[in-house]
Amino acid sequence: MKQILKWIGIIVVSVVLLPLVVIFFIYKKAVGKREYDPKVLDNLEEAAQDYVKKTAPLSDVDSRYKYIRLAQKALPAAKEIEVGEVEDKKIDGPGGKIGLRIYTPEADGPYPLMVYFHGGGFVTGSVQTTDAIARKLVKTTGYRVISVDYRLAPENPFPAAIEDAYATLVWISKHLTSLRAKSGEIVVAGDSAGGNIAAVVSQIATSKGAPNVTKQILLYPPVDIFSRDASVLYPSMDEFAEGYVLTKESLDKYFKLYLSGANDRKYDPLVAPIRSKDVSKLPAAFVATAEYDPLRDQGEAYAKKLKDAGVPVYAKRFEKVPHDFMSTPSVATDETFELISEFLQEKL
């Protein structure tokens, strides 16, 4: 009997405890050692200070991205932000199935439609990481929000994310009835890398004449090259290179992973929408930038380019917050949702 118990113990350790230990170390590697400069906290609002402490930069993106994804997918849903219904769905895409998460308001339809693209440098992130943002958009705007799990680099580098994003717009335009859409108009939105995707698909839809994208919401987007080279045009790349949520080093690594095998296309408008020669016919834009963000200057430059071309633009720099400030409850976050709602109602 003792021998049997001994073997049972060995099996339990091997089958149960050992995998848990492995998962623990994978998680620790995903979280990594987060470092920030305590002096930068003096520049930030209180909620942003706490956010920087918890999510200080991980520069070693290229060796950790798989582990980071595991940790992000384990995030709990933001169920305290109640909506009417949440449905996970898969549709056919150019590279296989595309995951969608569809958030429906509590009120009865029909609904105006918004497509949301998550951030994560085209390498990390998922519909799960922006679950709270999507839910809050539903609550504050009354839109039905369709969040897209597009393919990620480096396994699926550029243009995979863009292909999935546009394919989703086309699918939506063909399923307006089943989506209980109020009209054929579609609003595109996204944060960080997702803001880039929203800007790019706005340009594609405009040039093709379909689907009918009528507004774009761009939250602290990279709209030009987001590598070290960008410092020449955008001083904020150097000014906020370290110490906040996003670093110049991590941006450079994201850029290289995203453009793996396609570096010759770094100035292509499908990568850098600000490089488009004609933006005059693009939909109205809401552009939010963060004061302490290396991407700040290029986001503001894109807003200016659109405005100079005659596109209706509402642009605002949110003070005392870093990149990705929408991921944490704060005064700036609440104000952003309110302004987005007003923008959609054409009150701005």
Side-chain angles (χ1 to χ4, degrees):
M1 178 62 70
K2 288 183 179 180
Q3 191 67 19
I4 293 174
L5 291 174
K6 179 181 177 181
W7 279 108
I8 290 174
I10 291 172
I11 291 170
V12 169
V13 170
S14 301
V15 176
V16 179
L17 296 182
L18 187 58
L20 289 175
V21 171
V22 171
I23 291 170
F24 172 76
F25 280 105
I26 288 175
Y27 176 76
K28 291 294 287 183
K29 187 173 179 64
V31 173
K33 183 180 180 183
R34 299 189 179 273
E35 297 179 350
Y36 65 91
D37 182 352
K39 290 182 288 187
V40 309
L41 301 182
D42 296 336
N43 300 323
L44 302 170
E45 66 171 40
E46 187 175 348
Q49 290 181 13
D50 188 53
Y51 183 58
V52 166
K53 289 178 183 178
K54 291 179 179 177
T55 57
L58 278 175
S59 292
D60 193 11
V61 175
D62 46 358
S63 66
R64 292 181 178 168
Y65 66 90
K66 290 182 180 179
Y67 303 124
I68 294 171
R69 289 182 197 172
L70 283 174
Q72 289 175 335
K73 286 185 180 296
L75 289 172
K79 292 182 179 178
E80 69 277 6
I81 306 173
E82 295 182 2
V83 296
E85 183 183 2
V86 179
E87 176 191 5
D88 286 324
K89 185 179 186 67
K90 289 189 181 294
I91 63 172
D92 292 327
K97 295 293 184 179
I98 302 171
L100 305 180
R101 181 167 292 180
I102 303 173
Y103 299 82
T104 304
E106 293 179 307
D108 292 333
Y111 310 102
L113 300 180
M114 179 188 299
V115 183
Y116 195 87
F117 305 106
H118 66 79
F122 303 97
V123 174
T124 65
S126 66
V127 295
Q128 194 69 5
T129 60
T130 48
D131 184 68
I133 294 176
R135 288 169 180 267
K136 195 70 181 287
L137 283 169
V138 172
K139 292 282 285 188
T140 55
T141 69
Y143 274 62
R144 194 172 205 187
V145 174
I146 301 160
S147 186
V148 185
D149 235 349
Y150 54 86
R151 285 173 290 165
L152 298 173
E155 296 91 341
N156 297 286
F158 170 83
I162 303 302
E163 291 173 346
D164 286 358
Y166 185 70
T168 300
L169 292 184
V170 172
W171 180 86
I172 289 169
S173 69
K174 293 178 179 179
H175 293 80
L176 296 174
T177 301
S178 62
L179 289 169
R180 288 177 284 164
K182 192 173 184 178
S183 70
E185 297 181 349
I186 301 172
V187 173
V188 295
D191 64 288
S192 194
N196 172 285
I197 294 172
V200 169
V201 294
S202 292
Q203 292 193 10
I204 295 173
T206 299
S207 66
K208 289 179 177 289
N212 186 19
V213 175
T214 55
K215 290 183 174 68
Q216 51 183 323
I217 298 169
L218 315 178
L219 306 175
Y220 31 85
V223 290
D224 205 347
I225 55 172
F226 49 101
S227 65
R228 295 176 185 277
D229 302 342
S231 299
V232 176
L233 293 173
Y234 309 111
S236 60
M237 283 287 289
D238 282 333
E239 191 175 355
F240 310 112
E242 295 180 359
Y244 297 91
V245 172
L246 189 62
T247 68
K248 183 177 176 180
E249 181 183 0
S250 61
L251 280 169
D252 191 54
K253 291 185 176 181
Y254 281 131
F255 190 70
K256 288 175 181 175
L257 290 171
Y258 181 50
L259 284 188
S260 176
N263 194 56
D264 59 324
R265 297 185 66 180
K266 67 180 180 180
Y267 298 123
D268 188 323
L270 295 179
V271 174
I274 199 171
R275 303 278 174 166
S276 181
K277 293 180 180 178
D278 183 10
V279 297
S280 62
K281 297 177 182 177
L282 291 179
F286 178 100
V287 183
T289 56
E291 182 178 6
Y292 299 108
D293 182 359
L295 295 175
R296 184 194 70 194
D297 290 352
Q298 57 178 267
E300 292 176 359
Y302 191 55
K304 183 179 185 303
K305 179 167 184 167
L306 293 175
K307 190 175 292 187
D308 289 347
V311 175
V313 176
Y314 180 83
K316 182 176 175 62
R317 177 192 293 184
F318 289 86
E319 298 180 349
K320 296 189 174 183
V321 291
H323 183 84
D324 201 30
F325 68 85
M326 292 291 285
S327 294
T328 184
S330 69
V331 173
T333 306
D334 291 341
E335 184 182 357
T336 305
F337 282 117
E338 291 171 8
L339 290 172
I340 287 172
S341 182
E342 291 181 19
F343 169 74
L344 293 173
Q345 296 172 54
E346 299 183 350
K347 293 181 179 180
L348 296 178

